[in-house]
Each structure stands twice: as structure tokens, then as C-alpha cells.
Amino acid sequence: MTGDSLEARFAARMGALLGPDFPKCIGLAVSGGGDSMAMLALAHGWARVMGIGLRVVTVDHGLRPEAAAEAAAVAAECRALGHPHATLRWHWDGTGNLQDAARAARLDLIGGWRGDVGHVLYAHTRDDQAETVLMRLLRGSGVEGLAGMAEARRVPDARGGWWLLRPLLSETRADLRHYADTLRLPYVDDPSNADPRFDRVRARQAMAALGLEADGLARTAARMARAAEALAARAAEVAARIVTDETQAGAPTGDLLIDRDGLAAVERDTQMRLLAGALQRVASAPYRPRAQALEALLDRVLAGGGGTLHGVEVTVGRAAVRLSREHAAVAGLAAPAIPGALWDGRWRVGAGVAPGLTIRALGPDGWAQRPADAPVAAPARAARAWPALFDGDRLVACPALGLGPADAIVPATGGGQIAQSSNSH
């Protein structure tokens, strides 16, 4: 922490995160709490100087009756400052972990709201970082988990993705609240922040009880982030040598092949990273699988077995480990084959496709219609999940089978890295 003012520190972080080619407009996720309202005030002053527009969004999770009024208060402050504001509402269906579901819902809702905005600011602080590290430590997390939250994180979506930025990760909650109080900013204290049913609240209480300082845990996160970067670089180097994108009939299938001997020869952490990254790529998944399930699958693969995880089927052959999209994960996924349309997060319909067709998985019925001379070396179980075009029940095109134009269905992206740091929350 330097002697610079909070405004100067905020401007410096924004310059590092966004410069030198600054966007015309950025988004802010503002809940109405002290931290996010302080961020709104800081961003307002900075953006006015920089000539950058601000758009503000509040997510009402529908969990407390006061939430609607809090969102309205944020909207009123935005009107006073001259920034557009939107309230997005979400309803929890009662399944799964509430906090995990709410976090995922925020990303989905903000991703749908952002329009052409490519950067959205969150108001996480150094205290939030420390609590995150402690929670993950108690869960037995590895290097990535202990790296905490990233200051800049790429969030993928159908329109190319956006950046989630946390310019206040080096600031304390106390400093932001003091700033908000000094400016007499309106803000609320969410009572759930004191509810011991939530992991983060228990972590906060444990830090106080044990005398743990946020600075120490935040420094641990920074060191773990550096270690994660180095480990990811090692895994990426190995992936370039032993992981290949499979093609059939000159077209990509979406399957990945990992050289079996090459995988066995590298250290355990690199094996884990390669397997996790390959699963994410094939499933087009933003998060890696949970460590326990990933470890168990890796053990089976190294022993010559396989399994299904993350919507991906893993089979072990004599020379290679094959990762294929699980047919059950895409069996019900069908859409009109409109040129440019995205299917399963990783395939696009080609520009010259005729109207009236449907894109879906090849499936057993499509496999049965394959040309007699189709050059297929992959097993039928893998081929069932390949993308194909149908006219009703009739198979029209499947580039990996050599049927139809090669550009009827194309990869949505170039593939990207298999192994990278997954500091993703």
C-alpha cells in the first residue's frame, strides 16, 4: 500500500487493467453495499476524466424482500450521476449450493446484459481475497484454488466473451467503507454477510477468532498465482507435444487424443492439468472438474481404464487416450441450422447452409446413415456426439464423415490452450 490516495490507486489499477487502448464504455456490477458503492463513486470520477462511459447493473437474487429496494437505491444514485442502470432478477430453484448457483447466475445474467461492453468491474477487496483463500484451504484446494480470485478473468460466452475485472483487490474493506462514509454515499449492509450458514461468513469469523490478517492470506494468494502460472506454462509445453485435435475426412471431430506414453512420463500435477484442460475444451466448460473426481479419473486412465466426467467420455487405447463429447450430454441439444449459429458452445453452422435444416448430434440414427465408404477411424461411441445437419430424420451433412461440404459445420474457435491457469472465480 502506498501513500497515494484511493482515487489515485484506483486510476493506476484501471490503467494497468485496461490501457493503453481504453474501451469506450465499461460495466459495473453494483449491489448497493459499501464496497460496490465506493467502486461506483471511484469509477465515476475516473471515467469522467478519461472520457469513458459507464453502464451499471444490479442483480436481485430474490432472496430477501429488501433486495428490490436496494436495487432501486442503486438506480437512483446512477440517475444522479448520469449513468444508465439495469436491475436483473434471478430466482433460485432450490437445487445445489445457493452461493455457487448465485455466482453462476450473476455471470449468466451479466453476460446477457452487457451488449457490446467487454469489461465489467466487480468490487471484491483484499478482505474478500483472504476469505476466499481460507475457504479453499479448508476444502483442500491446490495451487489454483489458493491463488484466490484473479484481478482479470476472461468469461467465455457465445459472443466471444468478456473480462471480469477486480481493480480493488488490493484495497481493504475498511478503507472503502471509510471512503463511502466520507462522501456520504448511500449503501446498505446485507444481513446475509453476518449469517453463519454461509461459508464466507464462517471464514470471516474464523479469521477474527484466530487473529489471521487479510494481508498475509492475500500475499499467499499472490505467490500461489505465480506458482500456478509457472505450472500452467509447463503443462502447456507438454500439451503442445502430446495432445492433438483429431480430424476425420480432413475435418475436426472435436475429439482430443493424448499420447498415452507421453502422459505417463510427466509429473502428476502436469497430468492433472492436461486432463482437466482437455475435459474443459471438449465440453466447452468454463470450470475444471472438482479435484477429487479428476484425481479418480486420472488414476483410472493411467491404469488403462476410462470413464465419464464433465460431459466427456474418456477411453484408453493402445497408443492414445481419447476424449470425446459424451453423447448423453448433447443428445437433446438441437437447433435450427441458421448460418453462424452456435451449437454446444464450440461449433458454428457454415455460411452456405440451406434453410430448413437442424443441427444436432449425429446420434445412432445418423451413424446408421453414414456413407458406406466413410473414412472413419474413430469408434462409433465417439462419433455419436459429432455435430451433424439433418433434414427431418435424414442425415444431410457431417464433415467428419466426409458427408456434405467441409465448411457446413466449423469450430467456433481455434481451440486455444489445453493447459492454463484456472484461477477462475
Side-chain angles (χ1 to χ4, degrees):
M1 184 78 70
T2 71
D4 293 335
S5 67
L6 180 57
E7 291 93 341
R9 296 195 301 270
F10 179 81
R13 292 318 307 148
M14 292 299 288
L17 289 168
L18 289 175
D21 298 321
F22 290 92
K24 294 180 180 179
C25 185
I26 61 174
L28 280 75
V30 178
S31 67
D35 301 340
S36 64
M37 292 300 283
M39 181 182 71
L40 173 59
L42 288 165
H44 170 74
W46 172 83
R48 185 171 52 184
V49 171
M50 298 296 294
I52 293 173
L54 299 183
R55 291 177 55 202
V56 184
V57 63
T58 302
V59 178
D60 178 357
H61 295 96
L63 300 174
R64 297 180 297 109
E66 303 87 355
E70 292 163 6
V74 176
E77 183 69 8
C78 289
R79 281 195 301 273
L81 295 174
H83 304 303
H85 175 272
T87 298
L88 310 178
R89 292 178 173 82
W90 174 68
H91 174 72
W92 184 40
D93 63 7
T95 61
N97 179 278
L98 172 57
Q99 289 184 312
D100 288 344
R103 181 167 51 242
R106 278 194 299 274
L107 288 176
D108 288 343
L109 289 169
I110 291 173
W113 159 85
R114 69 180 181 88
D116 59 356
V117 169
H119 306 81
V120 180
L121 272 55
Y122 275 36
H124 290 125
T125 67
R126 186 168 59 188
D127 300 84
D128 295 312
Q129 182 75 296
E131 292 156 9
T132 297
V133 172
L134 182 57
M135 287 189 295
R136 294 180 182 178
L137 179 65
L138 295 173
R139 294 172 189 161
S141 295
V143 171
E144 261 80 19
L146 297 182
M149 297 179 288
E151 193 176 31
R153 170 196 167 190
R154 187 71 176 170
V155 182
D157 66 14
R159 290 175 291 138
W162 52 281
W163 285 99
L164 188 164
L165 304 179
R166 299 178 172 103
L168 298 174
L169 270 186
S170 296
E171 305 298 337
T172 67
R173 188 175 292 140
D175 281 348
L176 290 176
R177 296 299 175 92
H178 176 72
Y179 180 77
D181 290 337
T182 300
L183 295 183
R184 297 185 178 180
L185 300 175
Y187 67 86
V188 296
D189 285 312
D190 184 345
S192 66
N193 289 330
D195 190 336
R197 292 178 299 173
F198 297 118
D199 290 346
R200 183 169 295 278
V201 175
R202 292 198 297 272
R204 188 174 304 155
Q205 293 171 341
M207 287 177 61
L210 297 173
L212 298 176
E213 294 187 357
D215 282 356
L217 289 169
R219 286 194 297 270
T220 294
R223 293 178 183 124
M224 290 296 103
R226 293 196 297 269
E229 184 178 1
L231 291 168
R234 160 64 176 165
E237 179 270 325
V238 174
R241 291 190 284 107
I242 72 171
V243 183
T244 57
D245 290 276
E246 186 195 47
T247 60
Q248 299 277 335
T253 66
D255 293 3
L256 291 176
L257 301 176
I258 304 177
D259 180 79
R260 188 174 174 183
D261 290 340
L263 181 66
V266 297
E267 57 279 353
R268 179 77 172 188
D269 188 88
T270 301
Q271 292 172 340
M272 290 277 288
R273 289 169 185 274
L274 290 175
L275 184 58
L279 289 167
Q280 285 180 264
R281 165 87 78 81
V282 173
S284 190
Y287 300 118
R288 64 190 297 175
R290 293 197 177 275
Q292 186 173 0
L294 185 64
E295 292 258 18
L297 177 61
L298 177 60
D299 287 337
R300 292 196 299 273
V301 167
L302 295 175
T308 300
L309 181 64
H310 227 44
V312 178
E313 189 165 351
V314 183
T315 55
V316 179
R318 185 183 300 273
V321 178
R322 174 185 291 274
L323 290 93
S324 311
R325 192 69 162 116
E326 183 187 7
H327 178 248
V330 293
L333 188 61
I338 301 170
L342 188 69
W343 183 79
D344 193 29
R346 57 188 187 138
W347 300 103
R348 288 199 184 278
V349 179
V353 171
L357 302 181
T358 299
I359 182 170
R360 64 175 175 87
L362 182 66
D365 59 327
W367 175 255
Q369 297 178 57
R370 71 190 185 280
D373 59 349
V376 182
R381 289 183 62 84
R384 293 181 306 171
W386 293 350
L389 299 180
F390 287 81
D391 183 0
D393 294 329
R394 182 174 66 88
L395 177 64
V396 173
C398 180
L401 289 177
L403 180 64
D407 60 355
I409 305 171
V410 296
T413 66
Q417 287 184 297
I418 291 296
Q420 54 189 327
S421 179
S422 59
N423 183 17
S424 56
H425 289 292

